[in-house]
Amino acid sequence: MGSSSPSSSFSSSASSSSSSSSSSTVNNPNICMHCNSYITTLVNGWPLGDGTVAQLCHRCGIFYQEGTFCETFHRNCTGWLECAVCLKKLHTNCIVSRSEVHFKLFGRLCCKVCAKKLIRR
């Protein structure tokens, strides 16, 4: 698993090689839920279905906190759509970015930032 930098160009082609193994592991407080490395500095990640949050190592947690987790680790996965307003790429079928997307305004997908701007008008 390399640490590629985020890019504004994404592939929407299907790729089943997701680097996350979180669906097959239990949320162990000493193991990063994404890369399975030992956690020395705990960083809280995305909400999980059981009411807890994903426990991440410092490296994975920084990408999550900066809002670049999906761009970094899920670049070749399916589910990328554009915000109808700002054209930002949104990873719509991912639990990691669920809180940042899925706003529908006037029947079109809109990111959280643009949705807030449009609602204030």
Side-chain angles (χ1 to χ4, degrees):
M1 179 169 25
S3 60
S4 58
S5 63
S7 171
S8 61
S9 172
F10 299 99
S11 169
S12 4
S13 63
S15 173
S16 61
S17 63
S18 173
S19 54
S20 175
S21 60
S22 61
S23 61
S24 63
T25 60
V26 176
N27 194 15
N28 181 332
N30 297 319
I31 303 294
C32 176
M33 189 164 216
H34 176 69
C35 72
N36 292 322
S37 66
Y38 181 74
I39 298 175
T40 56
T41 304
L42 176 72
V43 179
N44 288 332
W46 53 90
L48 300 173
D50 64 359
T52 63
V53 294
Q55 303 300 296
L56 304 172
C57 66
H58 180 73
R59 179 180 166 267
C60 293
I62 291 299
F63 285 115
Y64 178 74
Q65 289 175 342
E66 291 176 347
T68 58
F69 190 91
C70 287
E71 291 94 337
T72 304
F73 298 115
H74 301 159
R75 184 180 315 176
N76 294 322
C77 294
T78 60
W80 289 96
L81 298 172
E82 291 182 340
C83 171
V85 179
C86 70
L87 304 180
K88 175 183 176 183
K89 299 290 184 182
L90 305 170
H91 196 198
T92 59
N93 65 348
C94 182
I95 191 170
V96 176
S97 58
R98 184 170 291 154
S99 65
E100 299 301 316
V101 295
H102 297 271
F103 286 92
K104 279 196 144 188
L105 294 175
F106 310 110
R108 305 205 46 210
L109 184 70
C110 188
C111 72
K112 186 179 196 177
V113 174
C114 291
K116 284 182 180 180
K117 288 178 184 175
L118 291 171
I119 291 170
R120 286 185 201 148
R121 292 182 179 175

